[in-house]
């Protein structure tokens, strides 16, 4: 079963809705995603993966007609549909192509890269290649961005580093005992 998560922390504000056709700067254009801003205007807050998947692409210009730094995640088949999400206008990307991610894992920071009017997250979702409202889709999963906390991700504890000899080992103490007097007499080893 796939896990799901909010892409943003509590308090995020919905700022612009999905539209296949709307007027933008006097031209008819599509807005193939939904936008959210952080609780604090202009803050570059963490952005989280909304579901388990694999990073298909990360960087600038990876999705036609979208600008700025973007991460695209392939979630495989969810509910009978090939599902992909894209996270646009990021200020920083924390994942790489081919990386496996889990719902709630930080994938970057909200930003204002590309054609934008301010810092925000543009979240798009595609089923079998066709864009739909990410806001509506997440709500069917019980997630209301800004009111549902991101899923907590548990990570395995770091493995201890291999032990190294320390200066307190018996062998090192013997060498230092001999080396100090030799150094005092002008000899070096």
């Amino acid at each position: 079963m796939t896990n799901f998560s909010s892409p943003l922390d509590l308090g995020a504000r919905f700022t612009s809705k999905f539209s296949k056709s709307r007027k933008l700067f006097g031209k008819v254009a599509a807005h193939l995603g939904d936008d959210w801003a952080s609780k604090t205007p202009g803050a570059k807050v963490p952005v989280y993966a909304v579901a388990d998947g694999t990073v298909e692409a990360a960087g600038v210009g990876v999705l036609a007609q979208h600008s700025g730094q973007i991460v695209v995640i392939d979630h495989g088949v969810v509910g009978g549909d090939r599902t992909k999400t894209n996270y646009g206008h990021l200020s920083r990307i924390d994942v790489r192509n081919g990386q496996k991610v889990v719902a709630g894992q930080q994938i970057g920071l909200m930003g204002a890269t590309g054609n934008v009017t301010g810092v925000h997250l543009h979240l798009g979702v595609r089923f079998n290649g066709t864009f739909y409202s990410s806001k509506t889709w997440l709500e069917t999963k019980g997630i209301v961005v800004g009111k549902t906390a991101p899923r907590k991700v548990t990570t395995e504890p770091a493995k201890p580093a291999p032990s190294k000899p320390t200066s307190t080992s018996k062998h090192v103490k013997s060498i230092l005992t001999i080396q100090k007097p030799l150094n005092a007499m002008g000899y070096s080893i």
Side-chain angles (χ1 to χ4, degrees):
M1 179 176 154
T2 298
N3 295 305
F4 295 96
S5 175
S6 175
L8 297 169
D9 288 321
L10 294 173
R13 301 171 291 118
F14 183 68
T15 59
S16 187
K17 68 180 183 174
F18 172 87
S19 172
K20 289 188 179 185
S21 178
R22 72 176 185 175
K23 279 202 168 195
L24 183 65
F25 304 115
K27 296 180 180 179
V28 175
H31 185 244
L32 300 176
D34 295 293
D35 294 348
W36 286 272
S38 65
K39 182 178 179 180
T40 306
K44 295 177 180 176
V45 298
V47 173
Y48 308 99
V50 298
D52 302 344
T54 303
V55 176
E56 180 177 280
V60 176
V62 298
L63 193 57
Q65 299 179 353
H66 286 74
S67 56
Q69 293 196 92
I70 294 176
V71 171
V72 177
I73 299 176
D74 185 340
H75 303 287
V77 176
V78 179
D81 294 311
R82 184 69 175 201
T83 305
K84 296 181 182 185
T85 51
N86 57 278
Y87 309 76
H89 307 301
L90 301 177
S91 64
R92 186 181 83 203
I93 294 174
D94 296 336
V95 291
R96 65 188 183 290
N97 294 351
Q99 181 178 340
K100 300 279 187 205
V101 295
V102 296
Q105 179 178 337
Q106 183 173 328
I107 59 169
L109 291 178
M110 184 185 288
T113 59
N115 299 323
V116 297
T117 57
V119 176
H120 71 283
L121 169 67
H122 173 91
L123 179 64
V125 62
R126 288 176 283 165
F127 304 112
N128 303 320
T130 302
F131 282 94
Y132 292 91
S133 169
S134 56
K135 180 178 184 286
T136 301
W137 177 64
L138 287 171
E139 288 172 356
T140 68
K141 307 299 180 196
I143 295 168
V144 178
V145 179
K147 294 184 180 182
T148 306
R151 181 174 177 264
K152 298 269 188 221
V153 176
T154 56
T155 56
E156 291 184 28
K159 293 180 182 177
S163 62
K164 297 177 183 175
T166 63
S167 61
T168 58
S169 72
K170 187 176 179 181
H171 181 68
V172 171
K173 282 184 180 178
S174 310
I175 292 172
L176 291 176
T177 304
I178 297 168
Q179 186 176 357
K180 285 180 184 177
L182 289 172
N183 286 347
M185 293 186 289
Y187 296 97
S188 64
I189 300 177

